[in-house]
Amino acid sequence: MSKTALVFSGQGSQYTGMGKDLYENSPAAKAVFDMAEKVRPGTIKQCFEGTKEELSITINTQPCVFAADLAAAAAVAEKGIKPDFVAGFSLGEIAAIAFAGMLSYEDAFRLVCKRAELMDKAAQENKGAMAAVMKLTPQKVEEICSGFDKAYPVNYNSPAQTVVAAAEDEIDALCEKVKAEKGKAVRLAVSGAFHSPFMEKAADGLAEYLRDVELSQPVIPVYANATAEPYSDDFKALITTQVKSPVKWQKTVENMIAEGADRFIEVGVGKTLTGLIKKINADVTAVNIENKEGLDALE
């Protein structure tokens, strides 16, 4: 039996105008943006009119991408599509747990704003950078990172793409080493070394914030970045650990496929996850929904 997975995009694919088309054409999407605007005035203007530079600042990126992700998911649900599983890439995981009913949309948005603030602060205090490594196996990337003092594989995206985080003064040498090993490395436009030990303080702050937050059982299985398995047991620990642990995206997708997922719908910003999913398994269907045209084509 065919099963559908809804996957929520992460930080890095943001662009000026994200979500505007859905805001203007879907009442459910508009309601999400209006909620975000009420909690954090200026969010809608940033999404629709913010400059590339403004949208690249973590404390802006995360709330804006979250709003676009959740708005797209709400528009998909408004159309009557009910996913069997959900997962989100990095930031997208918070949108996924909101969609699955673990937090109200407003509480999840407040959590994202706090998460962004903590991660931005940690990035300022502990300078790091990230790069996507292509054409090398994850094992080879791990081997290269082990030759540096502060370098870590942090996003296991597909068989041929692994993102690394490293100290600012090591990232260029790491990229050169990748080239020497016949790989390709591309610096990412992010402001910190996310999903690595550089985010230890952010994880501590998130744990403190979550102490007074009530989480519900998910109504749809939510696959966690840190384990590539559905959320179970200590939900707060999974949310906290996620910011300083690798994103096991390839394994997450493979596990959902093993449970019967043969259609993946990426909601939010861009089509990065759609491309990765096709590289992980060319036999499944993967589409992205970020505007009315994509939504109308969805069946």
Side-chain angles (χ1 to χ4, degrees):
M1 183 183 161
S2 179
K3 290 185 179 180
T4 296
L6 208 59
V7 294
F8 294 74
S9 60
Q11 195 170 339
S13 300
Q14 63 274 3
Y15 58 86
T16 304
M18 56 183 172
K20 190 170 188 289
D21 194 34
L22 290 177
Y23 179 85
E24 293 171 346
N25 290 285
S26 162
K30 183 178 184 300
V32 171
F33 275 109
D34 288 345
M35 173 280 298
E37 183 67 21
K38 180 184 166 192
V39 174
R40 181 181 177 271
T43 299
I44 288 176
K45 191 175 190 327
Q46 274 185 346
C47 286
F48 299 170
E49 301 173 25
T51 64
K52 183 180 177 183
E53 291 72 27
E54 186 182 8
L55 289 170
S56 294
I57 300 166
T58 299
I59 54 170
N60 297 331
T61 316
Q62 293 196 19
C64 289
V65 171
F66 174 92
D69 279 5
L70 204 50
V76 168
E78 183 180 44
K79 196 166 175 175
I81 292 168
K82 295 178 181 176
D84 299 282
F85 317 106
V86 295
F89 191 97
S90 186
L91 160 72
E93 186 166 311
I94 311 300
I97 67 173
F99 186 83
M102 293 173 67
L103 281 173
S104 71
Y105 285 4
E106 187 170 317
D107 284 345
F109 186 67
R110 290 185 190 280
L111 172 61
V112 161
C113 292
K114 187 65 179 178
R115 182 182 187 272
E117 177 193 314
L118 290 166
M119 290 174 76
D120 186 61
K121 187 167 184 245
Q124 298 302 326
E125 291 175 357
N126 204 358
K127 296 288 185 186
M130 298 174 77
V133 178
M134 279 78 75
K135 301 181 180 177
L136 296 178
T137 65
Q139 294 75 21
K140 188 65 184 175
V141 175
E142 288 169 356
E143 183 188 313
I144 290 170
C145 286
S146 69
F148 291 85
D149 186 35
K150 290 182 178 178
Y152 315 92
V154 291
N155 300 343
Y156 291 85
N157 288 345
S158 75
Q161 186 188 107
T162 306
V163 172
V164 298
E168 184 64 61
D169 59 5
E170 289 189 317
I171 193 74
D172 289 340
L174 191 149
C175 290
E176 285 302 316
K177 179 66 175 170
V178 167
K179 255 165 78 174
E181 295 287 349
K182 306 288 190 257
K184 180 183 177 186
V186 178
R187 286 280 296 265
L188 299 183
V190 293
S191 58
F194 305 131
H195 299 288
S196 76
F198 283 78
M199 291 290 117
E200 192 76 46
K201 280 192 179 178
D204 291 344
L206 211 49
E208 182 67 31
Y209 177 82
L210 284 168
R211 193 170 292 171
D212 299 321
V213 175
E214 197 86 12
L215 288 160
S216 303
Q217 288 289 333
V219 295
I220 313 164
V222 183
Y223 281 73
N225 286 179
T227 62
E229 301 286 347
Y231 264 71
S232 61
D233 302 325
D234 193 342
F235 299 158
K236 292 181 181 180
L238 284 171
I239 295 169
T240 300
T241 303
Q242 192 238 39
V243 301
K244 62 176 182 179
S245 302
V247 174
K248 299 177 180 177
W249 188 249
Q250 180 182 340
K251 188 64 179 166
T252 296
V253 171
E254 289 170 346
N255 285 347
M256 286 193 283
I257 292 170
E259 288 299 319
D262 57 6
R263 177 172 71 155
F264 288 80
I265 302 172
E266 177 181 4
V267 287
V269 185
K271 49 188 176 185
T272 299
L273 301 184
T274 302
L276 292 176
I277 290 162
K278 288 176 179 176
K279 286 176 183 171
I280 293 166
N281 189 319
D283 295 330
V284 300
T285 300
V287 297
N288 69 302
I289 305 300
E290 58 182 329
N291 53 36
K292 185 178 183 292
E293 183 184 358
L295 190 63
D296 288 346
L298 200 58
E299 294 176 353

